[in-house]
Amino acid sequence: MIRTFLVASSLILSLAQTATANPIADVICEPTERMTKKLSQALMSERQAMGLRGPEQVVEVWTDQAGDWTMVITYASGQSCIVAMGEAWMETAKRDPA
């Protein structure tokens, strides 16, 4: 029982430290212009892909040179929200060289 408590406490502390180390951990939703500025200027990310999720939503994937990625939903209302983040982004589709 004590061992389970210690393991759980350790896990919670490590998750808390990870969240505070994340430069956009406090960002959930922002006006689209502000979100774009944070992603491109503060995190040095570029939009790599985008597609429609519905008539009023666009899904965007932003990546940086280190391979970290951020998935953002941009709404017709002018808000953008980070819905997922990760690392080791890899392009798999062939690109037209022209």
Side-chain angles (χ1 to χ4, degrees):
M1 177 79 157
I2 292 176
R3 180 184 168 140
T4 303
F5 174 75
L6 291 174
V7 170
S9 297
S10 175
L11 179 61
I12 290 169
L13 285 175
S14 68
L15 289 174
Q17 289 171 350
T18 301
T20 58
N22 184 337
I24 55 176
D26 59 334
V27 175
I28 297 172
C29 293
E30 296 265 354
T32 299
E33 186 176 327
R34 190 178 312 155
M35 179 72 75
T36 299
K37 190 173 185 177
K38 282 185 179 184
L39 289 166
S40 63
Q41 294 178 359
L43 297 177
M44 305 301 288
S45 293
E46 293 181 2
R47 186 173 47 216
Q48 297 299 318
M50 59 189 295
L52 293 176
R53 184 168 183 253
E56 297 188 10
Q57 299 175 9
V58 175
V59 177
E60 303 172 341
V61 176
W62 292 72
T63 64
D64 65 16
Q65 288 186 340
D68 294 335
W69 58 269
T70 306
M71 183 177 287
V72 176
I73 303 281
T74 298
Y75 299 92
S77 67
Q79 285 287 103
S80 291
C81 299
I82 294 172
V83 295
M85 297 174 67
E87 57 188 31
W89 181 263
M90 183 186 319
E91 292 289 329
T92 58
K94 293 181 182 178
R95 293 191 181 253
D96 184 5

